[in-house]
Amino acid sequence: MTDRFIDELSGALKAHAANVLIGRDPAAVARQAMMRRPPRRLSMSAFSAVAAAVLVAAVSFAAYQLSSGTGSEPATMDVGGVTYGLVAARSLLVSEDDLTPYGEIAGDASDVPIVGRTAYAVRGVDPNHALVVPLAAGAADEVGSLGRYALLIRGSFADLCHLFDVSNDATPTECRS
Amino acid sequence: MTDPATARLLMERVAARDEAAFTRLVTAFDADLLRVALLVSEDADAARDAVQATWERAWARPPVLRDQTAIRSWLLKVAANEARQAARRRRRGRALEHLSSRPIVEMGLEAKDRIVDLGSALSRLTASERELLALRYMLDMTSDEIGGHLGITAEGARSRLHRLINRLREEMTND
């Protein structure tokens, strides 16, 4: 059975989009996107500003850290003899294809529901800097869903922004565009 | 680009800075991104900006994704988020530039005296609700596809859409 309201709604929405699409040239759109220059290397004069930004990143890192089972201390996990902080990564964009098993989680000072005992390296990311752990379906904290993975991290988010959806409100502040 | 291997190869070429591959990617998905961004942002210029930002990001930091569904889903998410930001920036209460001046009676609906125009009705929805409408009624995605894209079940997608349509129907034909 067709629904006239829905048919008309769909038709109106498509017609509206068609107006905006008129004259749009995907090749020109692509050219413009490719012309966008990558971030420039920073000069020495800008170094102090970067140092300040990294410091801010390191400080704000605490805002995303998950609590331990006691609730009074930051959650940590040990992998390969290295201790990582466990942080929420709700807007992480990695897929399973980006992950490689890296090591077993030996020490787990968190009450976050993880799946299995394996931490995974992420393609293109130094495993000594960050790993991910799969979370149980429905894992959440007081803010909301924790997503599919939590991040094990040492240091700041500064080199990990490419892993996040930078326009998502849940993304670390220093990674947002 | 229906073959998963072809789609993945295309993304790998984009990552390798292959301009022809990137142009092919833009040609394949640009219209879909613009449709979603348009409804989410409620503004044609904001939608164009959001989609441009999406493509700039895809070129600068191309994700490695396994198939066309994942590629499309990633692009749609980024475009919708960019459009959402644009929507926040726009002045409150601004309605869809074309639809707001287009009486819903043009849709063929009855009860002319009770009809509120489509633009106003859409502007009362959240950006996420408009995104859902765009996925279903502009991109013709199935409930299964929407569920996969949003990380919910197909039944959950159906249910949200059902409630949304009922609300719209009620608002647009309200006494």
Side-chain angles (χ1 to χ4, degrees):
Chain A
M1 188 179 77
T2 60
D3 184 321
R4 188 178 177 191
F5 178 86
I6 290 176
D7 289 346
E8 298 288 351
L9 173 68
S10 179
L13 294 177
K14 285 175 179 168
H16 175 50
N19 286 336
V20 179
L21 284 165
I22 290 173
R24 188 166 172 87
D25 177 5
V29 171
R31 277 196 302 276
Q32 189 178 339
M34 289 185 286
M35 282 170 56
R36 177 93 170 184
R37 291 183 177 181
R40 294 171 60 186
R41 288 180 184 277
L42 293 165
S43 64
M44 284 303 290
S45 61
F47 179 79
S48 57
V50 172
V54 170
L55 181 60
V56 169
V59 171
S60 60
F61 164 87
Y64 302 91
Q65 189 128 22
L66 296 165
S67 297
S68 67
T70 65
S72 59
E73 296 174 358
T76 59
M77 287 184 175
D78 292 346
V79 181
V82 176
T83 301
Y84 298 79
L86 181 66
V87 301
R90 301 170 215 277
S91 59
L92 207 61
L93 288 174
V94 300
S95 71
E96 290 176 9
D97 288 350
D98 298 322
L99 306 181
T100 308
Y102 179 73
E104 187 174 345
I105 298 167
D108 177 1
S110 87
D111 59 354
V112 179
I114 63 173
V115 176
R117 303 292 303 169
T118 303
Y120 292 81
V122 183
R123 186 198 307 267
V125 175
D126 178 359
N128 286 311
H129 183 193
L131 301 168
V132 297
V133 288
L135 296 175
D141 62 6
E142 65 277 7
V143 176
S145 169
L146 290 171
R148 295 180 62 192
Y149 302 100
L151 200 60
L152 297 176
I153 183 169
R154 302 169 69 225
S156 78
F157 289 112
D159 295 329
L160 303 174
C161 291
H162 65 289
L163 299 180
F164 289 92
D165 179 352
V166 294
S167 54
N168 190 308
D169 288 343
T171 291
T173 310
E174 59 270 36
C175 291
R176 273 180 237 161
S177 52
Chain B
M1 202 172 60
T2 54
D3 174 17
T6 304
R8 180 162 187 156
L9 184 61
L10 183 67
M11 291 307 294
E12 288 174 353
R13 285 181 178 164
V14 170
R17 322 307 289 161
D18 182 330
E19 297 188 357
F22 183 68
T23 301
R24 195 174 157 208
L25 184 73
V26 174
T27 302
F29 294 112
D30 185 67
D32 279 355
L33 301 194
L34 191 61
R35 289 185 182 103
V36 171
L38 179 63
L39 204 52
V40 170
S41 70
E42 300 182 90
D43 182 286
D45 288 334
R48 291 187 191 98
D49 289 347
V51 174
Q52 193 64 41
T54 302
W55 288 125
E56 286 172 6
R57 183 172 168 196
W59 177 246
R61 295 193 298 267
V64 178
L65 300 165
R66 62 185 173 280
D67 57 32
Q68 183 182 357
T69 302
I71 294 166
R72 186 193 199 201
S73 185
W74 184 85
L75 290 168
L76 287 172
K77 282 177 184 171
V78 175
N81 283 328
E82 292 284 352
R84 205 170 273 122
Q85 282 195 327
R88 288 195 194 106
R89 287 193 292 266
R90 79 186 168 82
R91 280 186 305 177
R92 199 173 172 185
R94 183 176 170 191
L96 283 167
E97 60 184 28
H98 297 302
L99 290 175
S100 60
S101 59
R102 180 178 182 174
I104 201 68
V105 68
E106 284 186 25
M107 288 169 56
L109 298 180
E110 298 173 351
K112 296 174 186 174
D113 295 340
R114 295 176 289 147
I115 288 168
V116 180
D117 71 273
L118 177 56
S120 297
L122 291 172
S123 68
R124 285 194 291 274
L125 303 180
T126 66
S128 295
E129 289 170 335
R130 289 194 298 274
E131 180 184 1
L132 188 59
L133 282 180
L135 296 175
R136 180 67 188 94
Y137 298 113
M138 295 174 98
L139 271 53
D140 295 323
M141 287 172 69
T142 65
S143 296
D144 282 343
E145 290 170 330
I146 293 171
H149 175 69
L150 298 178
I152 59 177
T153 63
E155 184 53 42
R158 262 190 295 275
S159 176
R160 284 189 197 180
L161 275 166
H162 182 71
R163 287 197 300 270
L164 196 49
I165 288 298
N166 281 347
R167 259 178 61 200
L168 267 181
R169 195 193 307 267
E170 190 175 323
E171 287 187 18
M172 292 169 66
T173 55
N174 200 14
D175 270 329

